């Protein structure tokens, strides 16, 4: 059974940093693209970053480029999102997700490209 469990969210002041983690289980993690999405109240779910199974290819939304870094440790079956220079507009629930198919390159900003989702972790950035 595929499970994704996020952790690391919290409250931080603008300019601060947080590192999110997503512990994956129930499948061979290196075979699948994974991504981070976020959703603020009243807004659609937004793709933030994605990474290939081996970690060699990454994608970032323009809004987070240069501030966020996605990485993965397949030995630990864990996905990470390092978030630096946080802004109030980064406030949202953050979700990790796994692509639908092994070896498949998803549309990284499209939630429909991802099949399994974690429960989310809240990030709040105050000004």
């Amino acid at each position: 059974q595929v499970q994704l469990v996020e952790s690391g969210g919290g409250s931080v002041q603008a300019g601060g940093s947080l590192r999110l983690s997503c512990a994956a289980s129930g499948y061979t993690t290196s075979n699948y693209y994974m991504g981070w999405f976020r959703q603020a109240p009243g807004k659609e779910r937004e793709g933030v970053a994605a990474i290939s199974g081996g970690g060699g290819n990454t994608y970032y939304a323009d809004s987070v480029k240069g501030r966020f870094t996605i990485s993965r440790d397949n030995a630990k079956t864990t996905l990470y999102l390092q978030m630096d220079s946080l802004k109030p507009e980064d406030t949202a629930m953050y979700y990790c997700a796994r692509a639908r198919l092994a070896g498949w390159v998803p549309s990284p900003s499209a939630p429909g490209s991802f099949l399994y989702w974690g429960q989310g972790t809240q990030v709040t950035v105050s000004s």
Side-chain angles (χ1 to χ4, degrees):
Q1 181 179 358
V2 175
Q3 284 193 318
L4 302 173
V5 180
E6 301 98 335
S7 61
S11 296
V12 65
Q13 289 193 328
S17 298
L18 284 172
R19 188 173 87 149
L20 306 184
S21 298
C22 171
S25 61
Y27 69 100
T28 304
T29 56
S30 59
N31 289 347
Y32 293 84
Y33 256 85
M34 294 192 72
W36 286 99
F37 288 76
R38 65 186 181 187
Q39 188 166 21
K43 295 189 176 181
E44 293 186 352
R45 193 164 292 192
E46 172 192 18
V48 173
I51 188 168
S52 59
N57 294 307
T58 56
Y59 155 87
Y60 295 95
D62 287 343
S63 57
V64 306
K65 274 181 185 175
R67 301 189 297 121
F68 290 11
T69 303
I70 189 171
S71 63
R72 64 193 300 164
D73 185 337
N74 286 329
K76 296 181 179 179
T77 65
T78 302
L79 177 73
Y80 303 100
L81 186 67
Q82 177 68 42
M83 304 186 296
D84 298 318
S85 302
L86 282 161
K87 304 175 180 179
E89 51 263 43
D90 294 319
T91 295
M93 186 73 78
Y94 283 71
Y95 301 89
C96 67
R98 196 207 78 178
R100 288 186 170 274
L101 300 173
W104 177 60
V105 180
S107 177
S109 59
S113 292
F114 295 82
L115 181 58
Y116 293 97
W117 295 81
Q119 82 288 350
T121 186
Q122 178 67 38
V123 171
T124 302
V125 184
S126 58
S127 57

